[in-house]
């Protein structure tokens, strides 16, 4: 039982203090220069008594005495280790002032990439490499892009970007910087009055274009409408011209059958009588000799009534 408690106590103490002991041991090993770990995209520069004794840019674990010699044991105590970020960086310079060949005040926005290519030159040849590179890019924009024709400045940005990059690259290499892509991202007018004038001209031009588009559409619609009306008139005239021929063929076909022809003309005659509004007297089909007396008997005797009136 006592052995078990002793084992549990020892295990608990080991579990608590073992990470601390390991961390202290590794920290002392790094302090005395036994090893170092370089992260991806970084670089370690070791400086002892003002001299660079080693540069490690490969990521991973490194045994320092094998890379730096005996100086590795005192470089962290008496010297300095500088950790540099070697990844690609970007920066944008807004509205760099230039003048066109016509004298228009213009502003140019330049975007560029940069990365450290020489860690030693980056640390010791310039106290502010990044600021100096930005100033160099700004000066290159003014030197290379001033007095360009305005139309070329507004349209040909690729050539402008190449000109700035060619101007800046040699000097940036001296400072340990590798200049990546350079791109003229924006070209704009710096004079507010000129901007308003250009906006007014653009608005007027857009109105003219819109009016022209609407007028062209109305003309197209008129052409289509007139064309349709003309074609319809032609079709009606053709139909009017061939109508007698069609009716004649139809009547000839009807006259081939006598009964059908009589029925048709009877119907047409009856229809005309009905549409004319005339009074129609229907007479029963009887013998003519018997019909006349009936008609005479039904006629009122006009002379007889006149004769029956007393005189004066």
């Amino acid at each position: 039982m006592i052995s078990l408690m002793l084992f549990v106590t020892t295990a608990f103490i080991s579990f608590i203090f073992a990470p601390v002991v390991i961390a202290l041991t590794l920290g002392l090993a790094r302090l005395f220069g036994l090893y170092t770990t370089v992260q991806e995209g970084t670089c370690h520069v070791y400086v002892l008594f003002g001299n660079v004794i080693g540069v490690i840019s490969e990521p991973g674990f490194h045994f320092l005495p094998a890379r730096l010699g005996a100086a590795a044991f005192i470089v962290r105590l008496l010297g300095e280790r500088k950790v540099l970020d070697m990844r690609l960086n970007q920066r944008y310079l807004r509205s760099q002032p230039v003048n066109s060949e016509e004298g228009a005040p213009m502003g140019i926005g330049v975007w560029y990439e940069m990365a450290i290519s020489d860690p030693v030159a980056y640390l010791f040849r310039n106290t502010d490499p990044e600021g100096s590179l930005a100033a160099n890019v700004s000066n290159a924009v003014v030197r290379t892009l001033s007095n360009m024709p305005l139309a070329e400045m507004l349209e040909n940005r690729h050539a402008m970007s190449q000109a700035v990059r060619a101007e800046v690259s040699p000097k940036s290499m001296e400072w340990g910087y590798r200049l990546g892509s350079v791109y003229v991202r924006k070209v704009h007018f710096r004079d507010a009055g000129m901007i308003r004038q250009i906006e007014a001209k653009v608005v007027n031009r857009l109105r003219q274009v819109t009016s022209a588009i609407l007028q062209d559409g109305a003309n197209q619609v008129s052409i289509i409408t007139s064309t349709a009306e003309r074609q319809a008139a032609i079709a009606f005239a053709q139909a009017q011209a061939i109508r007698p021929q069609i009716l004649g063929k139809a009547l000839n076909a009807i006259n081939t059958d006598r009964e059908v022809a009589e029925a048709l003309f009877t119907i047409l005659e009856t229809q005309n009588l009905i549409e004319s509004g005339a009074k129609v007297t229907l007479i029963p089909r009887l013998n003519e000799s018997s019909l006349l007396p009936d008609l005479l008997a039904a006629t009122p005797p006009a002379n007889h009534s006149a004769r029956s009136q007393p005189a004066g």
Side-chain angles (χ1 to χ4, degrees), residues 8-305:
V8 172
T9 304
T10 305
F12 179 75
I13 293 173
S14 300
F15 180 78
I16 297 298
F17 291 100
V20 178
V21 173
I22 293 173
L24 288 174
T25 303
L26 294 177
L28 290 174
R30 288 195 298 270
L31 180 63
F32 289 100
L34 290 179
Y35 80 96
T36 189
T37 303
V38 179
Q39 301 296 328
E40 182 73 25
T42 62
C43 176
H44 292 188
V45 180
Y46 292 91
V47 182
L48 181 62
F49 304 130
N51 297 320
V52 178
I53 62 173
V55 177
I56 303 176
S57 58
E58 299 84 7
F61 177 85
H62 297 274
F63 186 64
L64 283 181
R67 302 292 300 266
L68 307 178
F73 297 106
I74 59 174
V75 69
R76 296 297 301 273
L77 298 175
L78 303 178
E80 186 180 6
R81 185 192 67 172
K82 296 180 180 296
V83 180
L84 302 179
D85 188 353
M86 305 293 288
R87 293 175 296 180
L88 190 65
N89 195 8
Q90 302 174 353
R91 188 165 181 178
Y92 181 61
L93 300 179
R94 299 179 182 275
S95 188
Q96 302 301 307
V98 298
N99 291 324
S100 67
E101 188 180 36
E102 296 82 0
M106 306 295 293
I108 295 178
V110 181
W111 172 88
Y112 62 94
E113 294 178 337
M114 54 190 172
I116 298 174
S117 59
D118 188 349
V120 177
Y122 173 79
L123 289 174
F124 301 105
R125 289 190 180 178
N126 196 317
T127 56
D128 185 12
E130 186 173 351
S132 299
L133 181 61
N136 196 9
V137 172
S138 178
N139 294 332
V141 169
V142 176
R143 286 195 304 271
T144 58
L145 304 184
S146 291
N147 298 322
M148 288 182 62
L150 181 59
E152 186 177 350
M153 188 178 293
L154 294 174
E155 296 175 356
N156 196 5
R157 299 186 184 181
H158 181 66
M160 295 162 63
S161 303
Q162 289 182 333
V164 174
R165 190 177 188 282
E167 181 75 14
V168 178
S169 290
K171 198 65 178 177
S172 65
M173 293 298 291
E174 295 181 7
W175 297 336
Y177 256 132
R178 176 175 53 85
L179 192 65
S181 300
V182 178
Y183 178 63
V184 176
R185 188 175 180 182
K186 182 179 181 182
V187 178
H188 64 94
F189 293 95
R190 291 188 288 115
D191 190 344
M194 185 177 294
I195 293 173
R196 285 193 292 272
Q197 290 178 1
I198 293 174
E199 289 177 349
K201 290 182 179 178
V202 171
V203 171
N204 292 333
R205 181 58 181 163
L206 289 176
R207 288 175 179 171
Q208 293 174 358
V209 172
T210 304
S211 299
I213 292 173
L214 292 176
Q215 185 62 41
D216 184 67
N219 294 337
Q220 293 293 333
V221 171
S222 298
I223 291 172
I224 293 172
T225 303
S226 60
T227 303
E229 290 177 351
R230 184 173 58 83
Q231 292 177 352
I234 294 172
F236 281 124
Q238 291 177 347
Q240 192 68 24
I242 64 176
R243 182 170 180 268
Q245 182 181 0
I246 296 173
L247 288 177
K249 289 182 179 178
L251 292 175
N252 288 332
I254 291 171
N255 284 329
T256 56
D257 191 338
R258 184 177 181 79
E259 293 181 355
V260 174
E262 289 180 354
L264 174 63
F265 288 112
T266 302
I267 292 171
L268 294 176
E269 184 178 0
T270 304
Q271 185 176 0
N272 289 330
L273 288 174
I274 293 172
E275 292 178 353
S276 65
K279 293 182 180 179
V280 178
T281 302
L282 298 178
I283 301 174
R285 187 180 297 275
L286 296 173
N287 191 2
E288 295 180 357
S289 60
S290 61
L291 179 61
L292 183 59
D294 294 337
L295 294 175
L296 293 175
T299 302
N303 297 330
H304 175 72
S305 57

